Amino acid sequence: MFVHVLGAAAGGGAGGGFPQWNCNCPQCLGERRAADMGHLPQSGEGGMIEVLRPLQKTHKVLIHINNTNPILDEGSRERAILEREGIEVAWDGMEIEL
């Protein structure tokens, strides 16, 4: 079994905490962008979706998601893109068995 861990549990990397969909979120405008801190945006060139795409035989789950991130809305365009890419969004109380 292989486990790929991207990012840091403290709130960044590829977890979905700081990185917003495309780093144009209101809290990023006029502030440091995720990329300025070494974090991945979720979409776009070099973003998390692109990084995760080659990992075909894995269970891809985003955790630690900022509450303003549109991927939390199950009906959003951004969530649909993740689902097409085989990337799941964690929910409160979700358990992952290894």
Side-chain angles (χ1 to χ4, degrees):
M1 172 191 306
F2 292 98
V3 176
H4 299 277
V5 178
L6 303 176
F18 187 92
Q20 290 295 305
W21 184 253
N22 61 10
C23 266
N24 289 324
C25 61
Q27 62 261 37
C28 291
L29 296 177
E31 303 292 331
R32 293 187 303 168
R33 298 178 318 123
D36 297 336
M37 294 180 273
H39 299 188
L40 291 173
Q42 291 176 357
S43 62
E45 186 176 338
M48 180 199 52
I49 292 172
E50 191 173 279
V51 169
L52 293 175
R53 191 174 285 136
L55 305 175
Q56 294 299 316
K57 294 184 178 183
T58 59
H59 187 178
K60 300 173 245 185
V61 181
L62 299 184
I63 61 169
H64 190 77
I65 301 162
N66 186 299
N67 64 3
T68 63
N69 196 315
I71 66 174
L72 292 176
D73 178 355
E74 294 179 4
S76 72
R77 177 183 65 86
E78 293 84 358
R79 180 71 165 259
I81 291 169
L82 290 180
E83 290 172 357
R84 281 195 304 271
E85 293 286 341
I87 301 171
E88 189 174 356
V89 176
W91 60 87
D92 192 23
M94 180 182 197
E95 294 183 14
I96 300 173
E97 188 174 323
L98 300 177

